[in-house]
Amino acid sequence: MTHLMNTYNRLPIAFTHGKGARLFDEHGNEYLDALAGIAVNGLGHAHPRLVAALTDQIGRLIHTSNVYRVREQEALADRICALSGMQEVFFANSGAEANEAALKLVRFLGHQRGIEAQTIVMERAWHGRTLATLAATGSAKARQGFEPFPTGFICVPYNDIGAVTRAIDADSRVLAVWVEVLQGEGGIYVADVDYVKALRRLCDERRLLLMIDEVQSGIGRTGKWFAHQWAGIKPDVMTLAKGLGSGVPIGACVAAGPAAGVFGPGNHGTTFGGGPLAMRAGIETLDIIESEGLMANAVAQGERIVNGLKRGLQGVGGIVQIRGKGLMIGIELDRPCSHLVRQALAAGLLINVTHDSVLRLLPPLILSAEDADLIVHRLAPLIIAFLRPHSASGLGATAKAA
């Protein structure tokens, strides 16, 4: 019996320790981690440089509060702004909190301009589970039972610049456009580069904020620091979390241009956000990713996995599409496939399913070529066995790959 609230369908396994891309359970069984704590553990497990840095920081200082200066916070903010070309950072404890800060920023800027600000959001978007971020999230299942939600959101189809333009034309109160350039929870959908560039131009023309949620796609996961950099643009607001702390809870709301300088003292805050330990984790994470060439590795190993899956699943009916960027990969099937997670677990592989029918791979950035091949070797036969009893011949020939 457990006294935990029943908020998760947990798998019947508990891990005791990890090393690199491997995790070990209570019985000594070894698993290849192709989920990385849902894109959190980019450095894998027990990275020696991160362990040393956190151990040192714990021995120095864990928390003081934002009543005082936090030098580690200033250093990490400087680093993020140098990498992004943006101007200022608010630190929180999670992606949802970072996104809440972004939403409050839009509301407050609207107040300053004398309008009830509206934000355009996307179908299939995922921004968090707080009431405001859930209101902006395109998952009916996650939203069910929590009404009424905060208002101020206009939902349009993803990757459709015409839909965004029409929504702006229809409501003069629109102040921001919010997008994931690579939807994670929504099914690993990659926005077209031309679409992202067009959003930037449109927001410039209409004096709107372009906000990009990089909570899952940021910090090197796609092969650049931030996924929007593939389009060569810069947002006005960017949110980060997950991979920034390599397992230590952290979130960041980054602002530039018209979004910079909106908040003043007392407009927003947090008790734990920006603490020395989390900031040290962020600083060391960025240093390790850069010095060990992990963004280039994400590109190389992501391509290796995708190409291996294409070969291994060629001609298999029921494969809708294999898509993604870097080490953010989705394999969409033509039917719900959640029980493949348990089958993969039994085969010593950690994955998950999102959007009911998309197998999601988010391996650590330190993944080796041998482990990339092992992911394919363990996963492809499971998919084939799952699809074969129901497949019609020839379906696989119509599958697409991004």
Side-chain angles (χ1 to χ4, degrees), residues 1 4 115 121 158 203 215 253 312 331:
M1 178 181 176
L4 293 170
I115 62 172
V121 296
Y158 185 64
C203 288
V215 167
C253 178
I331 306 103

Side-chain angles (χ1 to χ4, degrees), residues 341-384:
V341 173
R342 285 179 179 260
Q343 292 183 9
L345 185 69
L349 180 65
L350 306 182
I351 62 169
N352 82 339
V353 168
T354 189
H355 214 60
D356 294 329
S357 60
V358 181
L359 294 163
R360 178 168 53 168
L361 303 178
L362 301 164
L365 307 187
I366 50 98
L367 194 75
S368 68
E370 292 76 16
D371 283 341
D373 291 342
L374 188 56
I375 289 172
V376 174
H377 177 73
R378 292 183 179 177
L379 183 58
L382 296 178
I383 296 173
I384 293 169

Side-chain angles (χ1 to χ4, degrees), residues 38-316:
I38 314 181
V40 169
N41 301 312
L43 304 182
H45 304 280
H47 191 290
R49 285 178 56 183
L50 182 66
V51 169
L54 295 183
T55 301
D56 174 71
Q57 188 62 48
I58 288 170
R60 293 171 178 267
L61 198 61
I62 296 175
H63 177 76
T64 59
S65 92
N66 286 298
V67 172
Y68 314 101
R69 287 179 61 195
V70 179
R71 290 190 179 276
E72 296 85 359
Q73 189 177 133
E74 295 168 2
L76 183 55
D78 288 348
R79 188 73 183 280
I80 290 172
C81 287
L83 295 174
S84 65
M86 299 177 74
Q87 293 169 248
E88 59 183 25
V89 186
F90 173 84
F91 287 110
N93 306 286
S94 68
E97 285 188 35
N99 286 339
E100 281 277 346
L103 292 175
K104 286 184 68 176
L105 189 154
V106 173
R107 289 282 185 98
F108 200 62
L109 182 58
H111 171 74
Q112 292 172 347
R113 294 185 180 180
I115 62 172
E116 186 178 327
Q118 305 293 299
T119 299
I120 294 174
V121 296
M122 306 298 158
E123 293 177 356
R124 295 192 310 263
W126 184 279
H127 298 297
R129 291 187 182 272
T130 65
L131 284 176
T133 57
L134 201 54
T137 288
S139 169
K141 181 179 178 181
R143 290 160 58 94
Q144 186 175 2
F146 296 104
E147 302 86 353
F149 291 108
T151 57
F153 302 101
I154 302 166
C155 188
V156 303
Y158 185 64
N159 219 19
D160 185 341
I161 192 65
V164 177
T165 304
R166 290 189 292 273
I168 294 169
D169 290 339
D171 195 328
S172 61
R173 301 170 300 168
V174 171
L175 187 53
V177 178
W178 201 10
V179 65
E180 301 156 279
V181 295
L182 205 171
Q183 290 185 328
E185 299 295 331
I188 314 295
Y189 288 98
V190 186
D192 295 336
V193 167
D194 288 344
Y195 168 73
V196 179
K197 291 180 176 179
L199 284 178
R200 179 68 277 176
R201 288 194 301 270
L202 183 61
C203 288
D204 288 340
E205 292 166 2
R206 304 295 185 96
R207 294 184 63 231
L208 308 179
L209 301 183
L210 177 59
M211 307 203 304
I212 298 182
D213 182 334
E214 292 269 12
V215 167
Q216 189 167 144
S217 59
I219 315 300
R221 178 145 296 276
T222 68
K224 289 191 181 289
W225 284 115
F226 316 110
H228 67 263
Q229 290 177 329
W230 289 102
I233 61 101
K234 182 174 69 176
D236 302 300
V237 179
M238 172 177 67
T239 52
L240 303 169
K242 289 187 181 289
L244 180 56
S246 295
V248 178
I250 189 172
C253 178
V254 191
V262 173
F263 284 149
N267 295 142
H268 195 49
T270 170
T271 296
F272 290 107
L277 181 62
M279 299 298 97
R280 186 72 181 275
I283 292 166
E284 196 67 25
T285 293
L286 298 181
D287 285 347
I288 293 170
I289 289 173
E290 187 170 59
S291 65
E292 296 189 2
L294 296 186
M295 287 186 287
N297 189 62
V299 172
Q301 304 317 324
E303 290 177 351
R304 193 177 185 97
I305 292 170
V306 167
N307 291 335
L309 288 170
K310 287 180 186 177
R311 290 192 300 270
L313 299 173
Q314 186 175 8
V316 177

